[in-house]
Amino acid sequence: MAGGGRRSGGDAGRGSGGARPSGRRWSDRLVDKVKRLEADLDAARAPGKPAGPGKAPAGGRARASRGPSGDPLLEARRRWQEGFDAAPPAGPDREKPVTVSLRPMPPLCDPTDLAGKDHLADIGWPGEFPYTRGIHRSGYRSKLWTMRQFAGFGTAKDTNERYKFLLANGQTGLSVAFDLPTLMGYDSDHPSSEGEVGMCGVAISSIEDMDLLFRDIPLDRVSTSMTINGPAAILLALYVAVAEERGIPSEKLRGTLQNDILKEFIAQKEFIFPPKPSMKLVVDTIEFGVRRMPQWNSVSISGYHIREAGSTAAQELAFTIADGFGYVEAAMERGIDVDAFAPRLSFFWNAHLDFFEEIAKYRAARRIWARHMRDRYRAKDPRSWLMRFHTQTAGVSLTAQQPENNIVRTAIEALAGILGGTQSLHTNSMDETLALPSEKAVKIALRTQQVLAHEHGVASVQDPLGGSWLLEKLTDDLEREAEEYFRRIRDQGGVLACVEKGFQQREIARSAYDYQRALERGDRVVVGVNRFVEEGERIEIPLLKIGKEAEREQRRRLKRLRSTRDGAAARGALDAVRRDAKADRNLMPGLVAAVRARATLGEIVEVLKGVYGVHEETPEF
C-alpha cells in the first residue's frame, strides 16, 4: 500500500532559521519552492537521467534528502522528522497507524507530497471538470442531500406503514429493501422461500404486492430506489405497471434501480442467470430507460457490497468503476449513444470507518469517472462525465456488542459521505446486527442526518477539506491504485472475463483475510469486540421481531391472485416473454405486459431460467 513511510521533507511554516522570510509574501515564496520541487521531479523522470539527492526516482514522488538542502521548506521538514524519529514509540496498547484498508498512514503530510501536481487540472473547482471537488457549483448551499433510509420488512402492508412513518418524520426519498426470496426470484409460496418470507426485507411477488407497497404514496412526486439485481428488470416492470394502472406515465417516474449484476458475481452472490444473459437484461433496462423513463437511473453501480465483502477502499473504487465501464461498453455495443444513457447512470458507495480515506475515495471516484467518460468513451455531454452517487454507512462496521456505540460510528461515517459530496445518504440503525431496525432505531438514524445537516455547518462549504495535504495525497494514491487495477483487468480480457475467472473475488478474499488477521492481532481495534469488552453484557434496546404471519399472509394473497386472474392471459403473456428471450429482443415491454396480466415474479423467472439457464459459481479458496 502507498503512503507508509516517514518523510524527511520540509515544513510549510518556517525558514531554516525559524523566522518568517522577509521581502515578498511568504505564500508566494512557498509557491515558488513547490514549483522548483515540481521541476526537480520532472527532471528526475526524464529518460536516462538518474535521480539526485532530494529527487524522486522515475515514476515516483519527490522525497527530500535528510542532508542539508538549502531549502527552508525541506530543512524545516527535516528538523521535524528528526524530532519525530526521536520521540518515544507508541505503547503496546496502541493500534498500528493504518486505515481500515490496512493502508499505512504517514505521521504528517506537507507540500512535498503534492510535488508535480497540477492543482487546476487535478483539483479544480466544484462543478467543473474533473469534478474532484464535487459535481455542483453550489453543493449543499442550494439543495441538501436526499435522506433516503433503506427500509422493508414483512408484507407490503407492513412496509407501506414504515414508509409513511419515515416520510412523516422528514425523510425525502424511499428505498426498498426486498426479502431474500424476492432477491433470488422466488415467489413467497415457493418451497425455497419457507422461513425467509419478509425476514430481511419486504416480500414482493406480484403487481398487487407492489401496489400495496406504495398505497397512498404519489409515485409521480416521490423518488424511489429499489435494491434488486438478479430479477431487477421484473421489479422495474412491476413498478412501471403499478404507475400506469394509476394513470401515471413512466416518463414521470423518478428513482433508481440498483440492477448491478456484475457486483453480484463479484461480492453479494444474489445472481440467477449466467453472466452474459444477465448483462443483456441490464442493457435491456438501460435501453428502456432511454426510450421511456428519462428521469430514472437504470443502473446504480454499487461498490457498497464489494466493500462489505471485505475489499479495501482501493479495490472498492477500482472494481466498481470497472463495472461501470463494463455497462457503458455493453450499452454502446447495443448501439445506444453514450450521451443518451450515461447521464442516468449512478453509483452507490460505502462509507466505512476511516474518515479521511473515505472522503478521498469519493473525490478520486469523481475524477476517474469524468476523465474516462470524456477521454476514453468520447462522451460529449458534460452530464455524462458526472458521477452522481448514493452513500450508505458501513453495515459491516456495526457490532452486536454494545450496539449503542453504532450510533457514533454511523454519525462519523455519514459525515465522511457528506464531506465527500454524496447526493443521497442512508444511515444505518444501531440494531442492524441484531434485527431489522425498530422504529426507535431508524428514527435515531434519520435524526443523525438531520443533526448533521442543520446543526454543525458541514453543509455550508463545498469540499471543505480540499487542499489538505493528507487528503490530496490519499486522493492521488487511490486514483493511482485504481488505474493499476484497470490495467490488470484489461490485460485479462475485461471485466466480464475477470468475473468468470474469479479475479476480483480472489483479490477481495485476500483483503478480507488480511483484515481479519489484523483484528485478531490487535492491529485494528473495535471497541467492545477486541478492546473495552463488557463481560456478561445484556442487550437492552428494543428489537423488531418478524413472525410467521407475514409468510402465511403472502401465501394467502398469491393463492387468491392465481384463482381470480385471467389464467389464459397470464399464460399468453409468459409465452410472449419466452419468445422475446429466445429471439434476443428487449424484454422490458413484454415484462410490463406480463405483470399487468398478473403473472408473478417467480413464474417469469422460471420462464427465463428455461431460456438462459442458471448460474453456478466455481468456489474460490
Side-chain angles (χ1 to χ4, degrees):
M1 289 292 187
R6 292 179 175 174
R7 293 175 106 39
S8 55
D11 183 65
R14 299 284 177 181
S16 59
R20 184 180 296 276
S22 60
R24 289 186 307 150
R25 287 188 308 165
W26 171 81
S27 59
D28 293 335
R29 294 168 64 89
L30 177 59
V31 168
D32 289 344
K33 290 177 175 58
V34 173
K35 286 181 177 178
R36 286 198 298 272
L37 284 171
E38 292 172 355
D40 289 344
L41 180 62
D42 290 339
R45 286 173 171 167
K49 185 170 182 177
K55 297 177 182 179
R61 289 183 178 275
R63 276 186 176 272
S65 167
R66 287 186 178 272
S69 69
D71 188 311
L73 179 66
L74 301 182
E75 284 297 306
R77 174 60 195 249
R78 181 186 61 79
R79 286 199 313 276
W80 177 87
Q81 187 73 48
E82 289 174 352
F84 174 80
D85 292 342
D93 61 332
R94 285 295 308 276
E95 64 275 12
K96 288 187 177 180
V98 296
T99 71
V100 72
S101 300
L102 305 186
R103 174 191 305 278
M105 290 290 278
L108 184 74
C109 288
D110 63 44
T112 64
D113 290 286
L114 305 182
K117 189 169 192 64
D118 185 331
H119 290 256
L120 272 180
D122 294 336
I123 302 175
W125 306 93
E128 295 183 10
F129 188 90
Y131 308 103
T132 308
R133 307 194 69 186
I135 63 173
H136 299 301
R137 292 181 187 275
S138 57
Y140 303 136
R141 281 287 187 102
S142 296
K143 182 183 178 183
L144 286 173
W145 62 92
T146 300
M147 299 179 192
R148 192 189 300 277
Q149 293 300 106
F150 189 45
F153 64 93
T155 65
K157 181 176 181 294
D158 298 327
T159 299
N160 176 260
E161 292 172 358
R162 174 63 63 87
Y163 289 162
K164 291 173 182 175
F165 170 81
L166 290 168
L167 292 170
N169 278 277
Q171 180 166 301
T172 52
L174 298 178
S175 183
V176 185
F178 297 99
D179 70 357
L180 186 59
T182 305
L183 294 170
M184 300 304 298
Y186 293 119
D187 286 336
S188 296
D189 59 356
H190 190 281
S192 295
S193 300
E194 186 173 354
E196 292 290 344
V197 175
M199 297 302 290
C200 67
V202 62
I204 300 294
S205 298
S206 70
I207 189 172
E208 292 188 358
D209 291 339
M210 187 67 86
D211 181 62
L212 182 55
L213 181 64
F214 293 101
R215 182 158 294 175
D216 303 322
I217 295 173
L219 298 184
D220 54 343
R221 298 203 299 273
V222 70
S223 170
T224 301
S225 173
M226 293 191 288
T227 300
I228 191 88
N229 296 279
I234 303 168
L235 272 296
L236 178 60
L238 285 166
Y239 193 78
V240 169
V242 166
E244 289 180 345
E245 292 195 351
R246 296 182 187 180
I248 302 170
S250 58
E251 288 78 7
K252 290 190 175 182
L253 298 177
R254 294 184 297 114
T256 300
L257 188 69
Q258 188 163 106
N259 200 23
D260 179 5
I261 199 62
L262 289 173
K263 166 264 301 174
E264 295 300 322
F265 294 115
I266 293 171
Q268 189 165 242
K269 312 301 182 183
E270 288 167 357
F271 44 72
I272 301 173
F273 315 113
K276 289 180 180 176
S278 295
M279 282 289 284
K280 186 262 184 194
L281 283 169
V282 173
V283 179
D284 284 356
T285 61
I286 292 173
E287 187 175 42
F288 185 78
V290 167
R291 294 176 179 175
R292 291 187 49 185
M293 303 184 76
Q295 300 185 80
W296 192 268
N297 302 319
S298 298
V299 186
S300 176
I301 305 151
S302 176
Y304 186 85
H305 307 92
I306 290 172
R307 193 65 178 280
E308 293 287 288
S311 80
T312 65
Q315 289 168 341
E316 179 194 1
L317 179 68
F319 297 158
T320 304
I321 294 179
D323 288 351
F325 297 156
Y327 297 127
V328 168
E329 291 164 10
M332 292 175 71
E333 288 172 7
R334 177 78 65 94
I336 310 171
D337 181 75
V338 65
D339 286 320
F341 69 86
R344 302 312 306 179
L345 297 177
S346 67
F347 283 77
F348 175 21
W349 296 111
N350 195 296
H352 218 298
L353 287 164
D354 198 275
F355 186 71
F356 296 109
E357 187 174 56
E358 294 303 288
I359 299 171
K361 179 185 71 182
Y362 308 132
R363 300 170 87 252
R366 279 191 294 265
R367 191 159 74 200
I368 292 168
W369 185 252
R371 287 176 171 167
H372 281 263
M373 291 305 294
R374 188 189 70 173
D375 301 337
R376 179 176 171 187
Y377 296 108
R378 306 298 182 190
K380 295 180 175 60
D381 186 343
R383 295 178 306 156
S384 300
W385 309 338
L386 304 181
M387 174 179 282
R388 297 167 300 111
F389 64 89
H390 172 71
T391 303
Q392 180 174 339
T393 56
V396 74
S397 73
L398 305 179
T399 65
Q401 300 91 333
Q402 303 175 27
E404 293 90 345
N405 296 345
N406 295 329
I407 299 172
V408 181
R409 294 184 180 103
T410 292
I412 296 171
E413 291 166 357
L415 181 59
I418 294 164
L419 296 183
T422 190
Q423 276 64 63
S424 65
L425 180 63
H426 166 95
T427 35
N428 288 329
S429 298
M430 63 176 168
D431 54 359
E432 290 195 42
T433 58
L434 301 165
L436 290 175
S438 67
E439 279 197 0
K440 179 179 178 63
V442 79
K443 185 186 285 187
I444 292 172
L446 177 58
R447 293 287 185 253
T448 299
Q449 293 201 45
Q450 292 164 338
V451 169
L452 287 170
H454 299 290
E455 295 188 17
H456 292 283
V458 298
S460 299
V461 180
Q462 275 273 62
D463 188 33
L465 297 182
S468 154
W469 294 315
L470 171 63
L471 191 64
E472 298 299 346
K473 172 181 164 46
L474 287 173
T475 302
D476 291 350
D477 288 348
L478 284 165
E479 181 180 18
R480 183 172 57 253
E481 291 166 36
E483 290 289 349
E484 173 60 18
Y485 265 121
F486 298 155
R487 182 196 63 76
R488 294 173 67 186
I489 289 169
R490 285 195 300 271
D491 288 349
Q492 296 178 72
V495 172
L496 203 58
C498 283
V499 166
E500 292 172 337
K501 295 173 185 174
F503 168 69
Q504 297 97 324
Q505 296 92 309
R506 286 192 297 274
E507 291 289 300
I508 294 169
R510 276 194 287 267
S511 296
Y513 177 76
D514 290 343
Y515 181 75
Q516 184 61 34
R517 291 294 304 277
L519 282 180
E520 292 169 0
R521 290 192 304 265
D523 294 346
R524 289 286 304 181
V525 171
V526 180
V527 173
V529 176
N530 65 353
R531 188 86 64 84
F532 313 111
V533 176
E534 296 179 7
E535 298 297 338
E537 177 190 5
R538 296 178 59 186
I539 304 299
E540 297 178 345
I541 58 174
L543 298 178
L544 176 67
K545 302 293 185 182
I546 306 297
K548 293 289 186 180
E549 180 55 33
E551 184 168 335
R552 290 192 287 267
E553 173 62 19
Q554 278 297 100
R555 289 177 176 272
R556 287 193 293 267
R557 288 174 58 80
L558 279 167
K559 185 176 181 180
R560 184 166 60 248
L561 171 74
R562 292 192 176 102
S563 66
T564 58
R565 71 185 179 184
D566 183 335
R571 287 191 296 273
L574 290 169
D575 287 340
V577 169
R578 183 180 293 106
R579 289 193 297 272
D580 287 345
K582 288 181 176 179
D584 206 30
R585 289 190 284 266
N586 189 309
L587 293 188
M588 282 305 303
L591 293 177
V592 174
V595 298
R596 292 194 69 170
R598 275 44 189 176
T600 68
L601 166 70
E603 291 167 345
I604 296 170
V605 167
E606 288 304 313
V607 166
L608 296 179
K609 285 179 179 178
V611 178
Y612 297 144
V614 177
H615 180 64
E616 294 185 8
E617 184 178 42
T618 301
E620 293 288 346
F621 297 97

